[in-house]
Amino acid sequence: MNTPQGGIFALGTASHAYLEFDLQPGKDGEALLTAMANLREPRTTIGGVNLVCGFRPELWRERVPDGLPAEPAGFNHDVIGANGYVMPATQHDAVLWLSGSAYDVVFDEAREAINALAALTAIADETSSWPYRRDRDLTGFVDGSENPSLLEAPDVALIPQGRPGAGGTILLLQKWGHDVKAWESLPVASQEQVIGRTKPESIELDPKPRDSHVARTDQDVFGHIFRRNMPYGTVTDHGTMFVGFSAEQRRLTAMLDSMAGVTDGLRDALTRYTRPVTGAFYFVPSTEAIGRFTTAPA
């Protein structure tokens, strides 16, 4: 039995930090796996902070050839959609997602993690996040209405037992900046047409516009995923961290293609008010798989 990294399903955490790392030139990928394993294992529950680590799929495959399915690959090329619309590829070598009950403990653990990896890596991107009005994003709409329950989520997110990479998952991590002025200039009825749901109750529109966000990311069409999205940023510069987990990468790539209008030339209306700033895929191995690299004492 392969056990997933627990922080994936640790709902209710109030503070988050996403750290993306690049391996320094000349440094060894296996040394990075060991450093991440040593970082993760003794600290998983220290101070109420959950640590989830993931790796560029190609990096993990180099060290563990049979350790994940054949399909996963990094976000190595921009997604080019309708009318030259671009979702940028900003793939890095590793990610560490920290979540906890308060930002001070997340902050301290994040600093320690960066210091512990400093001899091997350069910090490539850092984002802090927090919940907004319990389950809404900064557009004011409920985020994750279609999310599976915690009982259903493992079947959606985790590679099944008996397959390469069992207990692991594919993570799509994207930072989306909001065009606040343009969005807030829309009346609520127009915002609802863009999203495809009502704003107060999050009831799906019937019929919903073909270019609405709900229609362009219909999980009954593309396959179900488990999302842990969070708002990020400041009062004047903010947006959404998309944090999506799936047992199959194709579900995530199909949704991106649909949003960008790659498939039929019709873009997701929400992309006119939010802009993708980053984009990376990571393989998040099971605790047993990453634990094989640890040299730290229990």
Side-chain angles (χ1 to χ4, degrees), residues 129-214:
S129 294
W130 29 267
Y132 178 71
R133 297 189 181 181
R134 192 169 67 87
D135 56 2
R136 296 182 183 264
D137 65 25
L138 297 179
T139 66
F141 282 76
V142 172
D143 194 355
S145 297
E146 293 295 316
N147 236 10
S149 70
L150 278 181
L151 289 177
E152 302 165 325
D155 290 335
V156 168
L158 301 180
I159 297 168
Q161 300 299 319
R163 296 186 182 177
T169 182
I170 308 303
L171 164 64
L172 170 59
L173 187 67
Q174 282 184 301
K175 185 187 298 185
W176 288 78
H178 293 187
D179 185 341
V180 181
K181 290 183 179 179
W183 178 253
E184 292 183 349
S185 70
L186 294 177
V188 170
S190 297
Q191 292 180 358
E192 291 176 338
Q193 291 293 304
V194 169
I195 299 296
R197 290 184 177 275
T198 60
K199 194 168 188 177
E201 309 90 357
S202 195
I203 297 172
E204 190 170 309
L205 301 183
D206 186 17
K208 54 183 177 288
R210 287 183 58 238
D211 66 345
S212 67
H213 183 58
V214 169

Side-chain angles (χ1 to χ4, degrees), residues 22-150:
D22 284 329
L23 195 63
Q24 293 178 18
K27 299 298 183 179
D28 180 59
E30 185 161 341
L32 175 59
L33 301 188
T34 298
M36 276 285 200
N38 287 342
L39 178 73
R40 184 196 173 282
E41 289 300 322
R43 304 186 188 193
T44 301
T45 58
I46 296 297
V49 176
N50 300 291
L51 304 186
V52 173
C53 65
F55 304 92
R56 178 169 53 86
E58 294 88 344
L59 187 150
W60 182 263
R61 188 176 286 114
E62 287 173 2
R63 302 299 165 180
V64 191
D66 59 351
L68 75 169
E71 174 195 32
F75 202 137
N76 300 321
H77 305 284
D78 296 346
V79 176
I80 310 297
N83 305 122
Y85 176 76
V86 176
M87 291 183 179
T90 60
Q91 184 68 49
H92 301 292
D93 288 322
V95 65
L96 185 65
W97 167 31
L98 303 92
S99 62
S101 58
Y103 187 65
D104 56 350
V105 291
V106 170
F107 178 86
D108 286 343
E109 289 293 318
R111 288 188 63 199
E112 288 193 32
I114 292 171
N115 291 337
L117 299 172
L120 293 170
T121 68
I123 184 76
D125 198 26
E126 173 195 354
T127 306
S128 299
S129 294
W130 29 267
Y132 178 71
R133 297 189 181 181
R134 192 169 67 87
D135 56 2
R136 296 182 183 264
D137 65 25
L138 297 179
T139 66
F141 282 76
V142 172
D143 194 355
S145 297
E146 293 295 316
N147 236 10
S149 70
L150 278 181

